[in-house]
Amino acid sequence: MLREYQPGDYFDETFIGPDQPRAHYQDIVQAFEAYGQDEFQRRWGIIDLMMRQQGITFTVYSDARGTERTFPFDPFPRVIPAAEWRVLEKGLKQRVKAINRFLHDIYHEQHILNEGVVPRELIEKNPNFRPEMRGIDVPHKAYTHVVGTDLIRDKQGKYMVLEDNLRSPSGVSYMLGNRTFMLRSFPQLMARQRVRTIRDYPNALLASLRSLSPSDAEPTIVVLTPGQYNSAYYEHAFLAQQMGVELAHGHDLFCHDGRVWMRTTQGRRAVDVIYRRIDDAFLDPLAFRKDSMLGVPGLMEVYKAGRVALANAVGTGVADDKAMYMYIPKIIEYYLGQKALLENVPTYMAADPEQLEHIATHVHNMVIKEVGGAGGYGMLVGSEASDEDIASYLHKVRADPGNYIAQPIVQLSRHPTYYQDSQKFEPCHIDLRPYILMGEDMTVIPGGLTRVALKRGSLVVNSSQGGGSKDTWVLANGH
């Protein structure tokens, strides 16, 4: 299944050249070859059955055939050597530490804006900037309690940050599910590789949430979900169950006497910490969108008074805005006095007339994105678009340039991925979303969610655009 595999003119994670696996993949390649087609299909069938039984699904809003489907999974693991991971972990911690310092500053003294390091208008005109947060102190000065930072590797194999997800990053349930599938289907192979565990994620998340509680007693924690029609509802329910806390909808909670309360069959119960999976705008109809039926009226007043903690904090979205992304290296240098250990992808601002013309001139080699976009929606990949689509998209950009940024197309690294129609492994583009937890301490989960662009030749890995995922193995020792 792998002997005909052609790495091509890209950085391939597994192979240096045809039939030449990298040192940390040699045992895995040999094992998959030894399984043979029939045994491999049998094991993959077991994984597919487990996914269906557990209802591991996601939502594609744009597909007329139906929105709910099983999350595509590829059983050939992505492997990261121990030494390589140590560099990534250090860079991720540096980035998250600086971002939290930045968020505290812009909601308090605003030194970085007063000194002109970051343009003031970029913050104050940002729809994710919440003036309501000015002067509010949050526990441990931590705003981003759950972070999902998207990493890619370029043609030379260098890791780069594609974007930071600071509001309510999703995908961790698929990361945990992928590991369960591999443990049950390829246990001997994993044991031989000495793969670092990720099963402590729910406990680590629970510990981070507990550390935010304003109460000295055992805190009551809930996961606040917008409901079953949200694309990540499975994850909301899964994490609540794994942590042993309640999954709550907005109508399950209410505010009274300066506290947030949960309705239960035994009467009301005070809530100390809310892990919210609802955007800022829908959290409190008295403070934000008046038409929201998803949030809790009065929640912001209780939050401002310090009688309930929210994870992630309100207003974190201002720092993961795609226009802010290009300033993160400056933010790291300003607050920490260090150079960024993980580089950004070069980014162009359409709001700048000169940069806009550069984008238009080089559009076939660019990815253009909406500043507040997510999930792969609303973007243009110039190399894959028709001339008609490009002209139409550029018209929108010119009409509202402040809403768009562009980045050169990076030839993402590739990884062997199995296709049923050809019954062999073919190279597919991948990225990596590690998860960082922050409370009293910071924890980087060893691995993350490796996303795969399953459409042949595509660079778009988002599940909403037809992508899938792999288990990510961080090795416990070695170089």
Side-chain angles (χ1 to χ4, degrees):
M1 295 184 290
L2 282 159
R3 284 174 188 158
E4 297 178 8
Y5 181 86
Q6 296 296 322
D9 189 26
Y10 295 88
F11 182 86
D12 193 275
E13 300 279 346
T14 306
F15 289 90
I16 301 170
D19 205 27
Q20 291 181 283
R22 299 182 187 278
H24 54 285
Y25 272 101
Q26 286 180 353
D27 288 347
I28 296 169
V29 170
Q30 290 173 6
F32 272 79
E33 283 292 343
Y35 293 137
Q37 191 71 245
D38 291 343
E39 177 61 14
F40 174 75
Q41 290 282 3
R42 185 187 72 82
R43 293 179 186 233
W44 198 16
I46 292 171
I47 291 173
D48 187 62
L49 179 61
M50 284 192 292
M51 293 186 77
R52 294 179 188 279
Q53 288 176 336
Q54 294 180 30
I56 298 180
T57 62
F58 72 104
T59 303
V60 179
Y61 296 113
S62 58
D63 196 326
R65 295 173 297 175
T67 59
E68 198 80 2
R69 63 192 59 186
T70 304
F71 196 82
F73 173 72
D74 182 76
F76 195 108
R78 193 245 189 96
V79 182
I80 301 177
E84 197 172 282
W85 179 252
R86 285 193 291 271
V87 175
L88 293 179
E89 185 177 39
K90 190 175 180 180
L92 290 167
K93 284 185 173 181
Q94 178 198 55
R95 196 172 181 96
V96 172
K97 183 178 180 180
I99 286 172
N100 277 280
R101 294 274 296 274
F102 168 71
L103 286 166
H104 183 269
D105 187 16
I106 65 168
Y107 287 119
H108 287 79
E109 295 84 4
Q110 298 193 335
H111 294 307
I112 198 168
L113 305 186
N114 296 333
E115 296 178 28
V117 178
V118 172
R120 181 174 293 276
E121 62 272 14
L122 198 62
I123 300 299
E124 294 182 347
K125 293 182 179 180
N126 190 312
N128 295 307
F129 176 66
R130 300 296 177 186
E132 299 88 347
M133 289 294 293
R134 289 293 305 272
I136 296 178
D137 292 321
V138 297
H140 318 303
K141 295 184 179 180
Y143 289 76
T144 59
H145 311 105
V146 183
V147 179
T149 298
D150 292 344
L151 302 177
I152 60 173
R153 299 184 85 172
D154 65 11
K155 206 168 184 178
Q156 287 70 47
K158 180 173 65 176
Y159 282 99
M160 306 177 80
V161 177
L162 186 63
E163 65 181 36
D164 303 287
N165 297 283
L166 308 174
R167 282 168 273 185
S168 54
S170 62
V172 74
S173 58
Y174 304 127
M175 173 190 78
L176 294 169
N178 291 350
R179 178 58 53 87
T180 299
F181 304 144
M182 295 300 287
L183 280 168
R184 293 183 181 178
S185 299
F186 301 92
Q188 294 87 359
L189 180 59
M190 288 197 70
R192 290 202 304 271
Q193 297 299 310
R194 298 197 63 188
V195 179
R196 289 182 62 182
T197 183
I198 58 171
R199 65 184 178 186
D200 291 336
Y201 179 89
N203 289 333
L205 174 59
L206 184 60
S208 292
L209 296 176
R210 278 179 173 151
S211 77
L212 307 178
S213 175
S215 171
D216 293 329
E218 180 66 20
T220 296
I221 301 170
V222 301
V223 177
L224 179 59
T225 178
Q228 63 180 341
Y229 297 109
N230 183 267
S231 62
Y233 179 72
Y234 166 79
E235 177 162 297
H236 306 164
F238 173 83
L239 288 174
Q241 186 270 332
Q242 290 292 304
M243 289 191 290
V245 304
E246 294 293 334
L247 178 68
H249 297 73
H251 56 75
D252 296 321
L253 307 177
F254 66 96
C255 297
H256 183 68
D257 290 339
R259 294 294 305 272
V260 178
W261 302 87
M262 175 172 54
R263 294 180 173 91
T264 77
T265 54
Q266 287 80 39
R268 71 180 190 177
R269 183 177 179 184
V271 174
D272 302 297
V273 183
I274 300 174
Y275 176 29
R276 51 91 172 216
R277 299 298 295 260
I278 295 177
D279 289 342
D280 288 355
F282 298 96
L283 266 179
D284 180 351
L286 300 183
F288 305 120
R289 284 187 55 159
K290 293 179 172 56
D291 61 343
S292 173
M293 302 293 289
L294 304 175
V296 185
L299 176 59
M300 279 302 295
E301 284 302 313
V302 182
Y303 182 50
K304 288 179 183 179
R307 297 192 183 101
V308 71
L310 293 175
N312 287 345
V314 173
T316 56
V318 70
D320 75 359
D321 179 282
K322 290 178 174 62
M324 276 302 308
Y325 160 87
M326 65 182 297
Y327 288 92
I328 298 298
K330 288 185 177 180
I331 287 171
I332 292 171
E333 192 164 357
Y334 180 82
Y335 292 108
L336 306 183
Q338 303 166 353
K339 294 291 185 184
L341 298 174
L342 296 172
E343 293 183 21
N344 278 12
V345 176
T347 303
Y348 299 90
M349 307 280 289
D352 182 300
E354 288 186 13
Q355 294 186 41
L356 175 56
E357 290 313 308
H358 179 87
I359 293 167
T361 303
H362 300 86
V363 65
H364 290 284
N365 298 313
M366 291 279 184
V367 178
I368 308 178
K369 305 175 183 179
E370 294 178 347
V371 165
Y377 293 104
M379 73 179 192
L380 177 89
V381 181
S383 60
E384 299 178 8
S386 67
D387 290 341
E388 183 180 352
D389 288 341
I390 287 173
S392 174
Y393 198 93
L394 284 177
H395 179 74
K396 291 194 300 181
V397 174
R398 292 186 187 280
D400 186 16
N403 192 41
Y404 296 90
I405 59 98
Q407 296 169 326
I409 293 173
V410 178
Q411 298 301 328
L412 309 184
S413 62
R414 302 202 300 186
H415 196 283
T417 302
Y418 189 79
Y419 281 90
Q420 281 282 12
D421 57 359
S422 65
Q423 294 199 337
K424 64 181 181 182
F425 288 94
E426 300 178 28
C428 288
H429 294 290
I430 62 171
D431 78 350
L432 176 64
R433 176 176 289 182
Y435 295 93
I436 304 97
L437 298 175
M438 187 151 184
E440 194 169 4
D441 302 305
M442 194 187 310
T443 302
V444 182
I445 305 303
L449 183 69
T450 290
R451 301 185 298 178
V452 191
L454 292 177
K455 182 180 177 182
R456 287 182 173 93
S458 175
L459 293 167
V460 183
V461 299
N462 305 77
S463 58
S464 55
Q465 308 299 315
S469 69
K470 292 174 173 287
D471 193 13
T472 307
W473 294 2
V474 173
L475 302 184
N477 53 19
H479 303 289

